[in-house]
Structure formats: C-alpha cells, structure tokens
Amino acid sequence: MEYKFQVNLTGIIDLLSKHTYSSPQVFIRELLQNASDAILARRYLEPEHQGEMLIESLRGEDETPVLIFRDHGIGLNEEEIHLFLATIGQTSKRDEWFVQSDDFIGQFGIGLLSCFVVSDEVVVITRSAKDNQKTIEWRGRADGTYSLTVLDRQIEPGTEVRLRCKDGNEEYFQPETVQRLAHHYGSLLRFPIRFSDGNETILINDVRPPWEQEFLDSESERAAFMDYGTTLFETEFFDYVQLNSAIGDVHGVAFVLPYSPSLAMKKTHRVYLKNMLLSEQTEGLLPDWAFFVKCVVNANDLRPTASRESFYEDETLAATRAALGAQLRQYLIDLREHSPGVLRALIELHHLSFKALAVDDEEFFRIFMKWLPFETNMGPMTLTEYIESHKVVRFVSKLDQFKQTAAIAAAQSLCVINGGYTYDGPLIEKLHDVFPNIQLIHVDANRLFLGFKYLTLAEQSEVEKFIALANQVLQPFECSAEIRSFAPAELPALYHASPDVLFKRSISATKEMVTGLWSSVLDEMAEGIAADSFARLCFNFLNPVVYKIAGISDENLMRHSIELLYVQAVLFSHRPLNVKETSLLNESLLGLIEWGADAFEGWIQ
Amino acid sequence: MSENRERAYELLEESLRLDDGDERIAVCEDAVREADLSGDLQTRYRAREHCLRAHVFGGAPEKGLVGFSWLLAQFDGNPGEFSEWGILWKYKWILSLICDFPQIPKARIYEMLGDFETRALRAGYGLHAVYHYRYRTEKFWDDKESAREYFQKMIELSPDELSNCSACLKDEMVSSAIYFNDDARAVELAQPLLDGENKCASVPHRTYADLLLPMVRLGRQQEGLHYHRAGYRLVANSRGFFDRVAQHLIFLTLTENFERACALFEKHYPWTEHNWDSLHLFHFFRASWFLFYVVSEKGAVSHVGSLRSFGIYHDLDYQAFCLASKFKEQAEDLAKQFDLRNETDFFSRTLRETPALQKWCAPFPLGE
C-alpha cells in the first residue's frame, strides 16, 4: 500500500516566501507565464486564436487592493484543477518541472504557488476551451484548504485569477507597480496585455522590439535600435549590432558600451526566454572576449539553469555562443571598410576586447594588431607607430620589470613596450609567429646590463680597489658589485634583483617582525631559493661622482659613499628598504656628515 | 606621507577592476610599496590584505605566505586594531595552500592547524572550519582514516561565520564523495552547483574540473564534454586554478581530443615558470606526461608544433615521447619531495597508477 504525505501548504508558502520567491513580485511573472502557456496551448486547438490578457486593479469592499488576471487561454476543467493541485508541493520551481515534462497543467500549479506569498486567498475562475465545459471556481487558502464550485454563470473560455492583498504587500498591488512589472516581465509577449485601473485601459506591450520591426531606411532603423537601448538600460550606447542565431533560435541586439568596462565586471545580459523575461543578469551567452557589449535577446531554444542566470552548457549553447561571437567579430571587421572613424573610436574605448579576441584568433590578430595601442617607455602608441620608427620590437613581460627598465632603456634611446598587462604580453609574443619579418627582443634588466659597455683594461685598473671594496660592503646585503659604462651618465648605479632575489628580500624583511611558528615557515620557504642568487649593483663609470669616489684614497669615505649609492639604487628600483638597509642609510649618512665636519674643521684651521 | 597613502588607495581601487592574475598582483604590490612609504599602519595593513588576496587567487601562494605572516604579526602586535574575523578568514586561505609546499614539514603544518584552532576558539567560533581544514590536510596526504574522522566531525557540526561559504561547502561534499569513491553521488551532489544555485569565486570552477574524471569512470563522457566546455572557460585565465587546468588536460586526453589537449598544454606551459606551487606543478607535469604518453603510444601526434618560449629541449624537435619522459621525470621528482614530507606514498602511487588511466581512453570528439 502506498501512502502520500499530507503536505502543509502554509509551511511551504512560508518557505517559498523566504527562499525561492525572495522577491514577492515574481507572482506577476508567474501569472504572465501561466497566461502565455495557456494561450499557446489554446492555439494548438485553434490555430487562429489570438488570445489576450487583461490585468485589473480594483479595491475590495473593505478597501483591500485586489488584482485580477484574466486570459483567453485554454482554461481548465475540473479534472485538470485536481491535477494541478497535486503538483503543488512536488516542486516549487517551474524550470525544474519544465525540464522533467512539458506538462502545462503542472506548471500552472507551480505558478499559482507564488501568489500565496502576497495573497492569503487565491480564487481561480476558469472554463476550459475543450468541449463544452462549465465554469468552475476554485478558492484556495494559504492554510491548504480549498473549495470547488461549479458556477451558474458561464465565462468566455479562459482563466481568471483573483488575488487579495495580504497585509504588508500593498506596494505590489499599486496600479503603477503592477503596470511597470507587467511591462518588465512581459513586454515581449506576443499577445496583447492590457491593464485597467477601473478608469482607463492601456496596452502594456504596445511596441515590438526593434529586431522584430521592418524599417524603411537604415537611419530610422538605427534610431529605433539606439532609442530602444537608451530606454532599456538608461545608457547612451556607442553603437549597436543585431544578433541572430538559428541555433538556439536567438534574436536580439548587442549595444556597444560607451565606456571601457572593467575586466572584473560581470558580463551579464538581459535575456528573454520564449518572449518572457528570464533574467537581466544572464551570463555565458557570448564568448568571453566580447565584454564590450550589453545584449538584450530573446531565445526560444536554450535551456536555462534553475538560477535563471545562465544556460545549460550543451552543444546548443556552445554553437549559439559561437554564432553570436562570429557576428560581433564580423561587425568589427566590417567597420574597417565602412566606418574607419568609428573603428578608431571603438578601438580607443574597447581595445581590451580586441586584444582578448586577437590572442586566440590569428586572422583577427592579422587584421587588427597593427592598430592596437600599447604602453611604451616613450608614451602610448599603436603597433604601426612603433614599427614605423623602430626596426625591432622590444618588450618587457612584467609590470614591475617595466618600471625598472623603462628609464634606462629610454636613456639609450630604446623604445620598450610594456607587455605586463593581461593581454599585451601574449600578443607581442605572437607577433613574430604571425609576421615572421618582425623581430622581437624580450628585454629585462639583465639584458640591458648586457648592452652596457665593459671597461678597458686601463679603466679597470682605475676602479679595481673600488669594486673590491664595494663587493665586500655589499656582501651582507646579498648583492654583488660591478662597473660598466652606460647612459644616462647622471645615473650613478643600477640595482637589479631577479624574482628569486626579490622574494628572498621580502622574506627577510618580514622575518624582522615575525617570531615563532611563522619565523620557521619563512626560513623553510627561503631554503628553496639558491643560496648564490644575489642581486646586482652596476656602477656607472661615466658618472662623474662614481668616477671621483673610485679615485679617493680615504677608505672610510669610499665605504660610506658605496653604501649610500647602494641605498639610492635600491630606492630607484622601487624597492622598499629593509631594516638593515635603513640603518645602513643612517650610519653612512652620519659617517659622511662626521667626515665632512672633520674636513671642514681642518679647512678652517 | 598622505600622498603615498592616497596613491596606495587609488592603486587598490584599480586592482579591484582587474581579474585575478599577474596584472592585479603587480598593481597590489605597487599599492603595498606606496602604503609602506606612507608609514600609516592602517593603510599598510589594508594594502597587504588586498595583496594577499591577489597572491592567493592569482597563483603566487609563496608570496601570500609571506604577506600573511606580516599581517598576522601586525594583528598580534596591535590588539584591537584589526578585524579578528578578517585575519582568521585569511588564515584559512593559508591552510588551504600550505600543504602545496613540500619544504614545509608535516609537524609545522599541524602546528599551524593547532594555532588556527586556538585562535578560532578564542575568538568564539565553533570547530566547523577547524575540522574542515584538518580533514583537507589529512586528505592531502591520503590518511583516509583520519580524513574520514575529521570529515565526520565536520558534518556533525553546524557551519558558523568562520565556515566557508555555502557554495564552497557543497563543493567540498562533492569532492569528498569523489575522494571516498562514490562518483555517482558526487555528480548528484554537484547538480545544484552546476545549476548556479550557489556560486562564489571558485565554485563551480573547481566543481566542473573535479567531476571530469568521475564522468569518464561513469561512462558519461558526453556530459563530461559539457563540463569541460563550461568549466574550462572559468579556469583558463587564472593561474590560481592551474591544478584544475591539469584535470581538463587529462580529460581531453581520455576523450582523445588530442589537438585541443596540445593547444591547452601550449597555452598553459608558461605557467610553470616562476611557479612555486609544487602541487600545481605536480598536477600539470603529471597531466602533460599522461597526454604525451598516450599520444605517442597511439601514434596520434608524433611531435608537437610551435612550442615557443620553451625552456626545454631548445634544439630538439618536440617529439611526444621526449616530452613524455621529461614530464614524467619532473612529476616524479616532485612526488618524491611530497612523499618524503608526507610520510606516505600517495604521490608516487598516483604517478604509478597514471598510465593505467589509459584504459578509459575512447574517442569523444568535442566538435565546435
């Protein structure tokens, strides 16, 4: 023997209002969906049936707001009413039910559930369009009890749902709110939705979206699309692209954003499913690179997930995404011929999208790479501008390396591209593969050092003592010293540290303040770094101060000078000083002051 | 200086507009430099908090460790100055990555878990999060018995504010089902996550990847292809998910989508450079080995095309079998380090059992 649980409706409604229907206004969406399903079902029987819906807002006897939703759909007979009741409580989610079956009756019940969130009593008056049926009234209460009456009067086939405002939900029963929400969810529905507040009746979905309209000329078409975007998103968009995909049966429009979106921003779109608003936050509709547009589309053949904020990742979605992506890509390519001015402005705004696509799309790369802007140590420029004045393309692949090398490279008239940004490095690295005649040089501080001139033997002997002392002074700082000739002459010394060395530096700086457990952890981490990975300090033989210091005989003075040049070079490389270096700075400064005072005294005497 | 302070905050704001990755790390590190120059402790702390997040989620966990120890020292040294919940929350990030470093001894990791437990209790939280991380740690070195014990203890407690978000907790149920050999249950548990009912910065990213091998074992490769498609997009551009990329690589090998597998391998190989996360490296080397092993066994691709900027075999053709043995060696080396520290043979065993995965290989073309 099988038994069924007695489901407590009050409990379910309570749960629903707290979770699934956390926004009570969805009852309007659900009732529109019910009406839409009912009208579609009736059209199976009567293909010519147009169907429409009327929403009435009125006041009950005690001034309680009442809403009536009336449709000319298929209606329900007595048996079907019992059926939909049976589904209440089985699942609270229409989409879940939808996945399991195409059963319209079951969905009807699920849709009604949401009404109990705003109304203690729901009255359904319905008459089936099938056969010659009687009009039935179902009166359901939130405590789970209901009554069923066969009415004497007959209504037109269809369904009428009456809701009485539950205390605390008045705002969802205000005529303006109901009108606005009905438009919000149902503006694309293909049957007329009218709204009446007792005085006048208006058509809510009076305008079809522009992609369903025909236009006389391209100007009025453009105006219609752009206006639609402005009204929908309260944004003056830059441009628009029509979207159509036979797969997924998707139609709509992508609006080009008038600002550069941040990379971390969620790329969401407004999506209708079978003409009902699914979500304004749908993700995953477009390829990842297409973050320069905001879309509004209607999809007939995509399957939403329960959250309504994305679609099931299946072949259909993948193919739809590819088709929509191809249209956006083609739009960009076509601009090149038809509106180069627009393209220029678009690249300025959305070069990140261009770059994101070009990384993985060789043909696109071939077309657009030359116009894309990059940062260099001589200001921003496009690749074309760069290549016009430089034979080889020099680039740095990390942001912090760029800072270290930019000034030195500039002093040697080398123009270097900053490849540290998300797409820039991979794009530059691809250059040679696509255009074999372009020569690439990956620049880092080490490589710049290679370009510095070695000293002659005679010069070397001049600085021998200086370098020996510098190596001795810098040993505790895990830094080696060398000397070369390089531009600019004003720069006395350059400090360079590899990533490993920098990591070691940060460990030792942090260790100065950490004890116990974490001190051991830091030690263990440091063990992983080769003991001989030293930073490099390269003195500039062309610098007059360095030259002078290298020649002085007072070893103490030479020592303090080396210490100060070291500290200065570290700071110049954008590295903070650690405790040891800060005290070195203080000691050597004091040492120099003392030396100066002594010298001054001697000079006075 | 107030100028540095302002600059630090500007940079932090800028970093929020970026995705996790190198660029965000660089901007955050800049912010830390400016903050340090400002000398203002609040700013320095705030900047390091952001930087820690960037390091942990952007694939630079070694730097995250250093940053965290700074934060913790400041937190302890300035009572009442900084959020206790904040530092404990970040402590969990560290606990979730500390095992990835075989240079950190087992005893130290237990010491850290104990420290976290003491701090959590002192702050008035329950043991849910503590047991959670104890479970994950035991699972890391495959002490099944202890892992099960802590898992049981965890699920008997109610989550509190120190527990991971509900998406992460559900994801943990999925991966524990896989760990305890119940693939079918894992797939079932994962559905709400894949439907988007709960999500966060790393779920369903991890979920999709974790399910790939179970889908193959269940003979549900076709659905697995969807998971690959949906999941790979989520992890493809973030080094923090390098280990997950490896799972996709294995899946593509098992479904004989060799061309796509090689393309993925090529795209992600540069992530091995300057990478301190030995666990991620282990997974990637293992997956690459398996790919090239299968490819050369089957004679599907004899050598691999334009592998630019490779630090390996500069002058040779990239023949599949050469690559296979190279990556096998690298994975074995890491496995030894892990097993030595872990005092188990889990990593070497995983490697030994890898070629046998080939029995699941069957063509399931991905299509467009």
Side-chain angles (χ1 to χ4, degrees):
Chain A
M1 179 81 192
E2 273 203 19
Y3 294 96
K4 261 197 168 173
F5 284 112
Q6 189 67 43
V7 178
N8 179 334
L9 193 61
T10 321
I12 290 187
I13 291 164
D14 193 45
L15 260 175
L16 285 181
S17 28
K18 286 187 185 118
H19 300 284
T20 311
Y21 294 122
S22 53
S23 331
Q25 74 262 24
V26 298
F27 76 94
I28 294 185
R29 178 186 78 199
E30 295 294 322
L31 289 179
L32 284 175
Q33 185 76 60
N34 275 359
S36 170
D37 293 346
I39 289 172
L40 280 180
R42 186 158 173 193
R43 277 193 202 147
Y44 277 115
L45 291 181
E46 308 161 40
E48 298 304 311
H49 180 72
Q50 162 70 27
E52 64 169 58
M53 182 176 195
L54 176 68
I55 305 171
E56 277 178 280
S57 156
L58 37 107
R59 295 260 162 190
E61 291 146 25
D62 52 354
E63 283 298 299
T64 310
V66 169
L67 285 175
I68 302 173
F69 293 75
R70 190 174 297 144
D71 69 61
H72 293 145
I74 188 135
L76 301 164
N77 59 31
E78 197 174 331
E79 191 188 344
E80 287 166 338
I81 289 187
H82 288 294
L83 249 173
F84 89 66
L85 286 172
T87 58
I88 291 189
Q90 268 187 21
T91 166
S92 58
K93 284 180 207 134
R94 190 188 285 272
D95 305 303
E96 221 164 72
W97 181 267
F98 186 72
V99 169
Q100 290 161 11
S101 77
D102 258 328
D103 175 23
F104 148 68
I105 310 291
Q107 292 181 55
F108 180 83
I110 296 160
L112 266 199
L113 252 191
S114 65
C115 296
F116 285 107
V117 176
V118 294
S119 177
D120 281 329
E121 186 183 64
V122 176
V123 181
V124 178
I125 299 170
T126 182
R127 184 179 160 214
S128 174
K130 288 181 275 185
D131 317 322
N132 190 18
Q133 295 284 343
K134 292 225 161 17
T135 303
I136 303 165
E137 182 190 273
W138 177 84
R139 205 171 268 270
R141 282 162 295 266
D143 61 8
T145 58
Y146 70 92
S147 59
L148 203 62
T149 325
V150 177
L151 296 187
D152 295 336
R153 66 183 171 101
Q154 284 289 59
I155 61 164
E156 284 285 302
T159 301
E160 188 183 303
V161 178
R162 284 171 176 262
L163 308 178
R164 267 174 68 90
C165 179
K166 186 155 131 184
D167 275 353
N169 288 282
E170 288 74 14
E171 67 263 41
Y172 301 111
F173 279 68
Q174 278 177 11
E176 307 75 43
T177 311
V178 176
Q179 233 181 84
R180 201 171 39 76
L181 288 171
H183 182 268
H184 179 73
Y185 293 119
S187 63
L188 254 53
L189 284 173
R190 287 173 174 277
F191 54 86
I193 303 170
R194 291 180 218 284
F195 177 85
S196 159
D197 61 0
N199 299 318
E200 56 167 352
T201 303
I202 57 156
L203 181 63
I204 282 183
N205 51 346
D206 50 347
V207 195
R208 298 306 304 158
W211 62 86
E212 287 183 14
Q213 295 177 38
E214 305 247 347
F215 297 96
L216 287 174
D217 54 64
S218 57
E219 258 168 61
S220 51
E221 178 179 310
R222 181 178 175 81
F225 272 99
M226 296 301 281
D227 282 351
Y228 186 70
T230 310
T231 317
L232 208 55
F233 298 112
E234 291 178 4
T235 306
E236 296 282 342
F237 289 103
F238 179 87
D239 202 358
Y240 75 99
V241 188
Q242 282 208 54
L243 297 176
N244 293 295
S245 168
I247 308 162
D249 196 1
V250 177
H251 302 279
V253 52
F255 292 106
V256 179
L257 297 171
Y259 51 82
S260 316
S262 81
L263 283 175
M265 186 187 84
K266 274 199 172 181
K267 291 94 195 173
T268 60
H269 304 289
R270 185 185 179 96
V271 172
Y272 293 83
L273 187 72
K274 300 193 167 116
N275 297 313
M276 270 292 294
L277 181 69
L278 177 72
S279 164
E280 295 166 282
Q281 307 288 332
T282 305
E283 296 177 85
L285 184 68
L286 295 181
D288 292 336
W289 59 269
F291 46 82
F292 67 110
V293 292
K294 177 106 183 154
C295 298
V296 45
V297 300
N298 177 51
N300 290 323
D301 276 349
L302 294 179
R303 227 178 90 196
T305 61
S307 72
R308 307 177 75 94
E309 286 178 0
S310 54
F311 293 105
Y312 276 99
E313 288 283 346
D314 52 17
E315 284 96 353
T316 316
L317 179 61
T320 306
R321 191 186 287 140
L324 300 180
Q327 282 164 41
L328 289 169
R329 180 181 182 276
Q330 195 57 42
Y331 158 77
L332 299 176
I333 291 176
D334 290 347
L335 279 182
R336 182 179 50 146
E337 283 182 16
H338 304 135
S339 341
V342 175
L343 179 62
R344 255 195 308 277
L346 200 98
I347 289 180
E348 197 161 307
L349 270 178
H350 294 301
H351 52 85
L352 277 181
S353 261
F354 279 80
K355 287 178 175 178
L357 176 56
V359 166
D360 294 320
D361 182 331
E362 189 166 319
E363 193 198 344
F364 195 81
F365 181 98
R366 219 173 261 285
I367 300 172
F368 286 104
M369 183 64 178
K370 52 181 175 282
W371 292 317
L372 299 180
F374 291 91
E375 180 183 288
T376 78
N377 57 344
M378 298 179 181
M381 57 182 83
T382 64
L383 197 66
T384 308
E385 288 164 339
Y386 185 99
I387 288 171
E388 270 167 12
S389 43
H390 302 89
K391 275 195 207 119
V392 292
V393 175
R394 290 187 165 76
F395 73 104
V396 174
S397 58
K398 294 256 183 233
L399 277 177
D400 60 336
Q401 276 176 24
F402 182 74
K403 282 201 191 116
Q404 284 194 48
T405 50
I408 318 161
Q412 301 175 9
S413 323
L414 297 177
C415 188
V416 178
I417 293 179
N418 184 355
Y421 297 109
T422 304
Y423 302 110
D424 293 10
L427 281 174
I428 299 286
E429 285 183 33
K430 218 173 145 171
L431 260 179
H432 180 73
D433 293 346
V434 181
F435 304 109
N437 53 335
I438 294 183
Q439 224 199 312
L440 273 185
I441 295 183
H442 188 187
V443 178
D444 59 24
N446 262 333
R447 199 175 258 275
L448 281 178
F449 278 30
L450 286 178
F452 296 170
K453 240 178 77 192
Y454 281 93
L455 305 195
T456 61
L457 280 177
E459 287 168 339
Q460 273 182 42
S461 62
E462 281 181 65
V463 296
E464 211 170 314
K465 187 181 137 206
F466 170 73
I467 288 300
L469 183 64
N471 269 315
Q472 188 195 324
V473 169
L474 300 180
Q475 168 80 25
F477 300 93
E478 301 192 323
C479 180
S480 65
E482 58 202 292
I483 186 163
R484 307 273 186 88
S485 298
F486 56 90
E490 301 81 57
L491 197 63
L494 265 179
Y495 174 83
H496 174 63
S498 67
D500 275 0
V501 173
L502 289 176
F503 185 47
K504 207 153 76 168
R505 272 183 74 87
S506 75
I507 288 180
S508 56
T510 308
K511 260 209 76 170
E512 284 157 5
M513 50 191 302
V514 174
T515 52
L517 162 64
W518 290 91
S519 175
S520 317
V521 170
L522 293 178
D523 283 340
E524 280 141 11
M525 290 303 286
E527 275 168 26
I529 310 167
D532 58 350
S533 42
F534 265 37
R536 295 168 76 182
L537 185 68
C538 186
F539 291 102
N540 188 358
F541 188 69
L542 300 181
N543 181 272
V545 179
V546 169
Y547 187 76
K548 204 176 278 176
I549 295 169
I552 48 181
S553 50
D554 184 334
E555 193 183 301
N556 221 14
L557 178 58
M558 191 187 272
R559 176 183 295 271
H560 289 317
S561 308
I562 289 169
E563 289 165 350
L564 275 181
L565 287 175
Y566 167 74
V567 170
Q568 193 215 11
V570 171
L571 287 174
F572 181 77
S573 74
H574 301 275
R575 305 287 157 207
L577 298 181
N578 56 35
V579 173
K580 229 157 71 178
E581 287 160 349
T582 311
S583 63
L584 178 77
L585 171 66
N586 294 335
E587 280 163 29
S588 51
L589 261 182
L590 284 176
L592 276 182
I593 292 170
E594 195 184 343
W595 181 88
D598 287 349
F600 183 69
E601 219 163 73
W603 178 73
I604 297 267
Q605 286 165 0
Chain B
M1 264 160 332
S2 72
E3 235 171 67
N4 298 111
R5 194 169 161 271
E6 259 166 50
R7 182 78 192 119
Y9 282 111
E10 268 171 35
L11 287 163
L12 290 181
E13 210 162 285
E14 190 186 328
S15 79
L16 293 179
R17 287 195 290 270
L18 296 165
D19 274 337
D20 285 321
D22 287 354
E23 195 176 339
R24 179 182 247 181
I25 290 176
V27 173
C28 283
E29 287 178 353
D30 256 0
V32 168
R33 272 193 282 277
E34 294 287 344
D36 282 349
L37 289 173
S38 82
D40 173 40
L41 183 60
Q42 284 290 345
T43 311
R44 298 177 73 196
Y45 195 89
R46 185 72 68 80
R48 272 190 180 69
E49 283 187 312
H50 280 261
C51 201
L52 172 62
R53 203 201 168 284
H55 284 146
V56 169
F57 291 90
E62 76 287 0
K63 291 181 174 177
L65 268 183
V66 179
F68 178 75
S69 58
W70 188 97
L71 284 169
L72 192 66
Q74 294 295 353
F75 176 84
D76 289 341
N78 300 276
E81 195 76 19
F82 305 109
S83 153
E84 188 164 41
W85 178 86
I87 197 76
L88 287 171
W89 190 260
K90 291 175 188 71
Y91 212 138
K92 292 193 306 175
W93 294 346
I94 300 305
L95 291 175
S96 69
L97 58 81
I98 192 69
C99 295
D100 295 14
F101 298 96
Q103 58 267 52
I104 306 292
K106 207 169 172 177
R108 190 86 58 232
I109 295 170
Y110 282 132
E111 205 181 331
M112 216 176 262
L113 284 162
D115 183 43
F116 176 69
E117 178 168 340
T118 312
R119 287 170 184 270
L121 290 177
R122 208 165 50 200
Y125 296 105
L127 286 168
H128 187 269
V130 172
Y131 288 145
H132 187 177
Y133 284 86
R134 287 201 184 273
Y135 155 68
R136 287 172 63 149
T137 307
E138 298 303 333
K139 183 179 150 195
F140 188 95
W141 33 72
D142 195 33
D143 182 336
K144 276 224 161 59
E145 208 174 303
S146 308
R148 195 177 282 282
E149 186 186 322
Y150 284 121
F151 181 75
Q152 203 54 41
K153 283 183 168 177
M154 173 184 83
I155 59 173
E156 282 165 18
L157 288 177
S158 303
D160 58 25
E161 291 99 273
L162 202 53
S163 307
N164 286 0
C165 75
S166 60
C168 282
L169 289 178
K170 285 182 184 166
D171 178 69
E172 191 69 86
M173 297 308 282
V174 174
S175 60
S176 64
I178 299 171
Y179 180 62
F180 296 125
N181 300 318
D182 194 344
D183 288 342
R185 173 124 181 90
V187 178
E188 194 183 316
L189 285 169
Q191 289 316 307
L193 297 176
L194 306 188
D195 286 354
E197 278 181 33
N198 300 89
K199 52 187 166 186
C200 69
S202 40
V203 172
H205 314 43
R206 294 194 304 238
T207 326
Y208 275 121
D210 290 346
L211 287 176
L212 293 172
L213 190 55
M215 290 313 264
V216 172
R217 285 192 295 240
L218 292 168
R220 293 164 65 177
Q221 286 91 336
Q222 209 61 47
E223 289 159 86
L225 291 175
H226 301 330
Y227 293 0
H228 161 67
R229 244 191 242 110
Y232 178 65
R233 297 172 70 219
L234 300 175
V235 299
N237 295 312
S238 179
R239 279 175 197 243
F241 292 117
F242 196 21
D243 52 342
R244 263 58 193 196
V245 167
Q247 290 171 315
H248 283 276
L249 204 51
I250 288 185
F251 175 77
L252 289 173
T253 309
L254 290 174
T255 50
E256 302 193 2
N257 285 290
F258 298 128
E259 208 173 302
R260 168 116 170 133
C262 287
L264 246 68
F265 163 79
E266 245 191 87
K267 177 181 157 86
H268 295 287
Y269 181 77
W271 288 8
T272 59
E273 290 163 30
H274 295 299
N275 194 328
W276 275 72
D277 194 318
S278 298
L279 183 73
H280 284 196
L281 289 174
F282 171 79
H283 283 308
F284 187 76
F285 290 147
R286 168 174 173 257
S288 306
W289 165 41
F290 183 60
L291 165 66
F292 293 115
Y293 167 77
V294 172
V295 154
S296 58
E297 287 275 297
K298 293 201 176 271
V301 186
S302 63
H303 64 255
V304 184
S306 74
L307 298 185
R308 20 189 178 91
S309 66
F310 261 41
I312 44 173
Y313 292 157
H314 269 301
D315 306 319
L316 287 177
D317 254 1
Y318 296 116
Q319 286 179 331
F321 75 93
C322 292
L323 290 171
S325 71
K326 173 80 188 169
F327 290 125
K328 180 173 183 235
E329 234 170 72
Q330 288 183 306
E332 277 171 348
D333 181 42
L334 288 168
K336 255 183 232 144
Q337 295 178 36
F338 275 119
D339 287 345
L340 192 66
R341 188 270 312 267
N342 299 347
E343 297 160 353
T344 57
D345 70 341
F346 179 60
F347 282 77
S348 315
R349 185 155 37 90
T350 306
L351 278 187
R352 268 200 311 278
E353 290 166 1
T354 298
L357 287 178
Q358 208 190 345
K359 68 170 181 262
W360 301 106
C361 275
F364 283 90
L366 195 56
E368 238 325 283

